[in-house]
Amino acid sequence: MSTPVVLILGSGPRVGLSVATKFAHAGYKVAIASRTGTGSTNDQGFLSLKADFTQPESVPALFAAVKSQFHSAPSVVVYNAA
């Protein structure tokens, strides 16, 4: 069985990061999406993706990036965008 993947849409320094850390400790591969995403892995080992949630048409590209990086679609998606 493959490692589960979580995609967190709207990952700020408080709630989003806390949720990401909790999933990582539970064994998930973690992708976070925010306005300040870098397109690479951050210090915590999370895939950091840049996203603008005022443009919903950009969301499918986030799923494609996660699938490309982890070779699996997200098994959990958390919407935390304000």
Side-chain angles (χ1 to χ4, degrees):
M1 189 167 137
S2 64
T3 303
V5 176
V6 63
L7 170 59
I8 300 170
L9 304 173
S11 180
R14 291 178 290 279
V15 173
L17 185 58
S18 294
V19 171
T21 302
K22 187 73 171 176
F23 273 97
H25 286 162
Y28 282 73
K29 293 178 184 175
V30 177
I32 55 176
S34 68
R35 286 178 280 191
T36 60
T38 62
S40 61
T41 303
N42 69 10
D43 294 341
Q44 292 90 3
F46 306 154
L47 175 60
S48 174
L49 301 169
K50 187 174 182 89
D52 180 355
F53 297 111
T54 64
Q55 299 179 354
E57 64 277 4
S58 67
V59 173
L62 298 172
F63 282 80
V66 169
K67 192 168 184 180
S68 175
Q69 177 71 27
F70 296 132
H71 308 289
S72 177
S75 47
V76 176
V77 177
V78 176
Y79 186 82
N80 184 51

